[in-house]
Amino acid sequence: MAVSAQPFDLITMGRIGVDLHLMQSDGPLQQVDPLERLPGGSVAHVALAAARLGRSSAVITRTAGDSFAAYLHDTLTASGVDSRWVSEAPDLGFHTDDLDYFAIRAARILWIAGTGLSGEPCRSATLAALKARDRARTTVLDLDRHPQHPLSSDEARPYYAEALRHATVAVGHLDACEAVTGARGAHACAEALLAAGVEVAVVRLGRQGRGVLAAHRDGTVAEVGVDAAEGVDGSGASDSGGVGVGCELGSGEGLRESFSEGSSESESLAGGDGLGAGDSFGGRLCHGLLSGWELERIVRYAAAAGAASALPTQAADVPSPNRTRP
């Protein structure tokens, strides 16, 4: 693979797809019009959110050679996300010799989705990318587990443990954190993730992830809405549910059709920016880390994305990268 000459603020790596969002919630699916087509998958959304905040971003993913792939490639590029590593692959999977390790090492943040650990060849490529970082820069492992994950929690746990040894930040909803660590409760999960090797553990709670507990290895703890979120629903909604998992990273067979109705049962559009609330959270988290903010400020800023998801569903274009930074 060609060497990248530009060090990115953020590179995300993982599956990608197309989401179809309901723009109204006052009728059955077959009668609702229109459906808004948007890039799907947490790694696409995190990169888009960071680009909207003025950060140079790129995505590493694989797609099928169909019209969905063309849409994703064009939309990411038009939105300010570098798509040079959005390429076609028959199995929709990463291979270790496909990766640009120079760019991966040089990026200020690498955000990697844990679903890549679910099977080969993605697992080996995911671990190789993490090891290439050598913990020299911020490396975020999105714990990102779904009900369709092909491995049980017990089967997947050793692979996540290996990945956590090479990450500096771990982030995930409470249910994913519990599945990965075997601990129960937000505080216990944060402690377990720190013990696994990361410097910062971020646990999200509540249906829209509006409750956040973050803990740093230095003993700093930041909490936003944790008590309220635990009282409603400690498990939380997944950042990006769908049918494609593991190596199904692209369009075609990996197409994800998530219908968001703006209710508490699903991730609605975050403040009309065209992104899922969980993934706007991730982009804001990266922006705060890149800005060198203290932990509490980062958590409050990122958690605002979850709060925005309570706004009514509305049609929106994919966000412009030219929007002013906060």
Side-chain angles (χ1 to χ4, degrees), residues 18-39 68 71 255-262 269 313-317:
V18 175
D19 283 347
L20 301 177
H21 290 269
L22 297 181
M23 294 297 104
Q24 61 188 74
S25 57
D26 56 354
L29 176 61
Q30 64 270 25
Q31 297 177 9
V32 171
D33 185 52
L35 289 173
E36 180 76 0
R37 179 185 59 181
L38 296 168
F68 292 110
Y71 161 75
L255 173 65
R256 299 164 54 257
E257 296 178 342
S258 300
F259 295 98
S260 174
E261 302 183 13
L269 299 183
T313 302
Q314 54 185 295
D317 293 331

Side-chain angles (χ1 to χ4, degrees), residues 135-147:
R135 297 176 59 88
R137 294 172 179 257
T138 302
T139 303
V140 181
L141 179 64
D142 182 354
L143 301 181
D144 193 22
R145 278 184 57 86
H146 303 283

Side-chain angles (χ1 to χ4, degrees), residues 48-319:
L48 283 164
R52 187 185 68 238
L53 294 169
R55 300 298 183 177
S56 59
S57 304
V59 176
I60 302 174
T61 193
R62 299 293 177 263
T63 65
D66 56 20
S67 59
F68 292 110
Y71 161 75
L72 290 167
H73 193 285
D74 292 348
T75 302
L76 288 172
T77 301
S79 302
V81 176
D82 194 297
S83 59
R84 73 184 69 181
W85 299 303
V86 179
S87 58
E88 297 178 12
D91 60 358
L92 300 177
F94 301 113
H95 296 263
T96 54
D97 56 358
D98 292 339
L99 302 178
D100 184 340
Y101 290 102
F102 178 87
I104 287 172
R105 284 190 291 268
R108 295 177 66 191
I109 294 181
L110 175 69
W111 178 292
I112 223 164
T115 47
L117 298 169
S118 62
E120 296 293 356
C122 301
R123 181 185 301 138
S124 292
T126 296
L127 291 173
L130 287 166
K131 291 175 182 178
R133 298 283 287 179
D134 196 27
R135 297 176 59 88
R137 294 172 179 257
T138 302
T139 303
V140 181
L141 179 64
D142 182 354
L143 301 181
D144 193 22
R145 278 184 57 86
H146 303 283
Q148 300 91 353
H149 201 290
L151 301 180
S152 69
S153 296
D154 289 340
E155 292 171 329
R157 199 165 290 143
Y159 301 119
Y160 278 90
E162 173 68 12
L164 286 165
R165 282 194 286 272
H166 302 286
T168 61
V169 179
V171 58
H173 278 284
L174 178 59
D175 53 354
C177 294
E178 290 181 337
V180 166
T181 64
R184 290 294 177 266
H187 289 84
C189 283
E191 292 175 2
L193 291 169
L194 292 175
V198 300
E199 297 175 8
V200 178
V202 182
V203 183
R204 303 184 61 214
L205 303 98
R207 293 186 185 275
Q208 301 291 347
R210 282 168 279 180
V212 183
L213 168 69
H216 194 285
R217 182 173 294 279
D218 65 8
T220 303
V221 176
E223 301 183 37
V224 176
V226 171
D227 292 339
E230 287 182 323
V232 175
D233 177 6
S235 62
S238 173
D239 281 352
S240 51
V243 298
V245 296
C247 288
E248 293 182 341
L249 298 165
S251 50
E253 292 181 3
L255 173 65
R256 299 164 54 257
E257 296 178 342
S258 300
F259 295 98
S260 174
E261 302 183 13
S263 70
S264 60
E265 296 297 325
S266 60
E267 294 283 3
S268 64
L269 299 183
D273 67 1
L275 300 176
D279 305 316
S280 292
F281 176 96
R284 284 170 169 247
L285 178 70
C286 290
H287 181 70
L289 290 168
L290 289 166
S291 299
W293 295 345
E294 62 182 16
L295 187 61
E296 183 175 358
R297 182 181 179 187
I298 293 173
V299 169
R300 291 189 177 279
Y301 178 66
S309 68
L311 296 175
T313 302
Q314 54 185 295
D317 293 331
V318 174

